[in-house]
Amino acid sequence: MIDFLIIGGGMAGASAAARLSELGSILLLESESALGYHASGRSAALFEESYGKPSTVALNAASRIYHETAHGGFLSPRGLMMIGTADTAEDFAADCKTMSLNAMSVEEARAMLPILNPNVVDRAAWHSDALDIDTDRLIQCFAADARANGGRVVTGAGVTAIRKIPTGWVVEAGETYEARVIVNAAGAWVDQVAKLAGVAPLGATPLRRSMGRIPAPGGHDVSSWPMIFGPGETWYAKPDAGALLVSPADEELVEPHDAWADDMVLAEGFARYEAHVTEPVTRLLSSWAGLRTFAPDRSLVLGPDPADASWVWCACQGGYGIQTSPAASQFLADMVSGRPSELGTDVTAQLLPDRLRS
Ligand SMILES: Cc1cc2nc3c(=O)[nH]c(=O)nc-3n(C[C@H](O)[C@H](O)[C@H](O)COP(=O)(O)OP(=O)(O)OC[C@H]3O[C@@H](n4cnc5c(N)ncnc54)[C@H](O)[C@@H]3O)c2cc1C
């Protein structure tokens, strides 16, 4: 009998595996042939502490020390710049406040980002505290920690059936497993997995977000450029290994699936980006999309289901599942072992699944 059977090998499942392997035996089952194939391998890989609901911001802050220090650290400098026009003044002001960005002149902004169009962009603000996360290494280190504690990680093992027994659960995934507790970390598929087990779903919504990778605009060395945001999260761009990622920041409600970028959505996002810069998009190197899965209130869902403590949710990481993973998995382990969380009672109430069950 396994103590914790974790379904899903994205950042949520891998981080849960690392923490729960300190409490008992764990088995992680992932249907794809590698960890991080879906949302966790398709993110913008950014750490921005102010991003998200208050409970998410609390998780971001509590995760920072792990990202900075564990396994030699996963963060590197990036910075974040918001650029705007008179038309977007309200969103620009609101975002600058939320993210504590410092106002700068357009000339100062152009010194950092030479492609900004000074005939269009009339305001800019910046901070240095947004950081790149080495997501590949982060997920592999979580899995390595779980294995070092005796845990098993099995890929190519999609869970197809789940049945309740008096001592816990029987799970079919090619082989048959028995576990005391199931941790549902199935990303966009969390509600489908719950239904397999006869557990009430959360009402999780998978929202597609697309990404296009274009050659460095104007042949510039983009390596030291900050991440660039359009006000109101209408598009963003970020240097990526000598090229530039441009995202339309779309949020299209879809069924759980292996997502891909919609050409029209990408083109519209590129147009919003191009409206602010001097260099047009002439070529697409590659494109992809991932599913950002949200709870109805957009906070993460972490902890035992109030109807059955042997069913644990590690779900609805939305657009924050990479940066929150250290503290979210710690919170999960605290809730499973009955320890109060260092995040306090207010944040705890905002994260537990109880809030979604009336
Ligand atoms: C374009 C984009 C940009 C983003 N940018 C950022 C960012 O900058 N910073 C940040 O922190 N977050 C970002 N995110 C969000 C982040 O990627 C997600 O919150 C996070 O990856 C979710 O992790 P997860 O493990 O819950 O989901 P996933 O990575 O999707 O993992 C779920 C896994 O469950 C598996 N699974 C499903 N059903 C079963 C089954 N029946 N049996 C076995 N396995 C199953 C799936 O195969 C999948 O691998 C971004 C997301 C996108 C799409």
Side-chain angles (χ1 to χ4, degrees):
M1 172 76 74
I2 300 151
D3 289 322
F4 302 103
L5 188 149
I6 299 156
I7 302 175
M11 200 60 84
S15 56
R19 295 300 165 121
L20 296 175
S21 65
E22 294 163 6
L23 302 176
S25 58
I26 68 106
L27 170 68
L28 184 152
L29 298 176
E30 164 55 47
S31 50
E32 303 293 349
S33 59
L35 299 179
Y37 173 82
H38 287 288
S40 300
R42 308 177 189 196
S43 84
L46 189 76
F47 181 91
E48 166 55 51
E49 195 170 310
S50 67
Y51 190 43
K53 294 289 225 183
S55 62
T56 308
V57 173
L59 290 169
N60 295 338
S63 294
R64 183 186 278 266
I65 186 77
Y66 183 95
H67 284 308
E68 283 176 348
T69 58
H71 298 280
F74 297 96
L75 302 178
S76 51
R78 174 55 53 205
L80 189 152
M81 186 186 288
M82 177 81 49
I83 56 173
T85 60
D87 291 350
T88 54
E90 224 170 276
D91 284 337
F92 180 89
D95 289 350
C96 287
K97 194 166 172 225
T98 309
M99 295 196 214
S100 304
L101 300 177
N102 305 306
M104 69 199 308
S105 70
V106 174
E107 269 325 295
E108 285 170 321
R110 271 170 55 80
M112 293 170 84
L113 264 176
I115 59 165
L116 289 190
N117 187 341
N119 300 324
V120 177
V121 174
D122 69 357
R123 63 204 68 202
W126 180 78
H127 75 196
S128 60
D129 201 34
L131 300 147
D132 281 349
I133 309 175
D134 187 341
T135 58
D136 290 345
R137 206 164 63 77
L138 181 62
I139 197 168
Q140 292 307 333
C141 285
F142 281 135
D145 285 350
R147 289 193 189 96
N149 290 331
R152 275 182 72 202
V153 175
V154 182
T155 54
V159 171
T160 53
I162 306 172
R163 184 164 49 85
K164 185 83 182 151
I165 54 172
T167 50
W169 303 91
V170 176
V171 173
E172 304 290 345
E175 288 181 43
T176 303
Y177 304 95
E178 282 191 19
R180 203 169 53 75
V181 171
I182 285 184
V183 178
N184 183 358
W189 293 265
V190 275
D191 277 349
Q192 287 189 357
V193 166
K195 285 178 195 162
L196 278 182
V199 171
L202 297 173
T205 48
L207 306 182
R208 186 196 58 208
R209 176 152 292 188
S210 313
M211 199 80 99
R213 194 163 184 269
I214 60 171
H220 287 285
D221 174 4
V222 300
S223 57
S224 65
W225 288 6
M227 186 155 182
I228 324 163
F229 265 83
E233 204 172 333
T234 43
W235 61 272
Y236 63 76
K238 185 177 189 255
D240 178 54
L244 197 68
L245 301 179
V246 179
S247 173
D250 44 327
E251 290 203 338
E252 175 89 17
L253 178 62
V254 293
E255 289 297 310
H257 70 294
D258 189 354
W260 69 91
D262 178 278
D263 286 349
M264 189 52 77
V265 170
L266 214 50
E268 287 167 359
F270 284 174
R272 291 194 288 278
Y273 153 80
E274 281 177 309
H276 297 84
V277 298
T278 51
E279 305 287 338
V281 176
T282 53
R283 201 155 60 89
L284 185 61
L285 297 173
S286 60
S287 68
W288 65 87
L291 304 183
R292 299 156 83 241
T293 299
F294 291 89
D297 61 4
R298 289 209 160 211
S299 282
L300 279 72
V301 184
L302 303 169
D305 192 285
D308 183 346
S310 71
W311 184 268
V312 173
W313 297 94
C314 183
C316 300
Q317 282 76 3
Y320 333 99
I322 312 296
Q323 59 184 19
T324 54
S325 56
S329 52
Q330 180 61 57
F331 179 89
L332 192 79
D334 289 342
M335 294 305 106
V336 162
S337 53
R339 292 189 299 249
S341 167
E342 286 179 4
L343 299 175
T345 49
D346 283 359
V347 173
T348 297
Q350 290 162 41
L351 294 172
L352 283 174
D354 309 44
R355 74 187 196 272
L356 300 172
R357 308 290 199 207
S358 48

